[in-house]
Every structure is written in C-alpha cells, then in structure tokens.
Amino acid sequence: DHFALAEPATVTLDDGARRVSVRCDPGYGFLQIYAPTRRRFVAIEPMTATIDGLGRGHTPEVAPAERFTATFSIAVGAS
C-alpha cells in the first residue's frame, strides 16, 4: 500500500509483542508498506515522491549545485 503523509509523520506497526516506528521528517511525503500474506516480515519504504511521480511530474527537483536532504529514523521495541 502507498500512503501520502503529512510532513513530518510517524507510522507505527504493532503486533502486540513488537513495535516498529518509522519517523519521516520533511522531504519524505510518502510511504510504501509491503506486508505479504502468511509471511513474517513487513517492508517499509519512505519515499520522496509518489510511486508514479515521474509520470505525474511530482518529483522533487534540485537545481545544479543545490542540495536536497530528507531523513527518516526507525525505532524498534516491545509493545
């Protein structure tokens, strides 16, 4: 699933025993989560543009000699 985020945003997944939180700071406006059925893993991908951002023209642009910075952090613990 693909989500548009309010920046900054924290997304938390909790199964009752474990908790994973991903904090997306400004620059990461989207998040993709892949949780396949009957599997014991989840993939979390902070994204700076939508999955079809190039086709829609919604990608961040950086001028020559300029910089773009985006950070995220992950916290893992017990519920």
Side-chain angles (χ1 to χ4, degrees):
D1 294 317
H2 189 70
F3 300 92
L5 305 174
E7 297 181 45
T10 300
V11 175
T12 301
L13 303 175
D14 189 327
D15 71 356
R18 298 166 299 235
R19 178 180 308 181
V20 176
S21 295
V22 177
R23 177 177 168 79
C24 298
D25 294 329
Y28 280 106
F30 302 90
L31 184 89
Q32 190 159 314
I33 298 177
Y34 174 63
T37 307
R38 293 185 288 277
R39 296 296 189 108
R40 297 188 62 174
F41 69 88
V42 174
I44 304 168
E45 181 182 3
M47 299 176 69
T48 59
T50 64
I51 55 176
D52 58 349
L54 290 173
R56 287 185 179 192
H58 294 139
T59 57
E61 293 185 15
V62 181
E66 295 291 321
R67 290 183 176 204
F68 176 82
T69 302
T71 59
F72 68 90
S73 58
I74 302 171
V76 179
S79 291

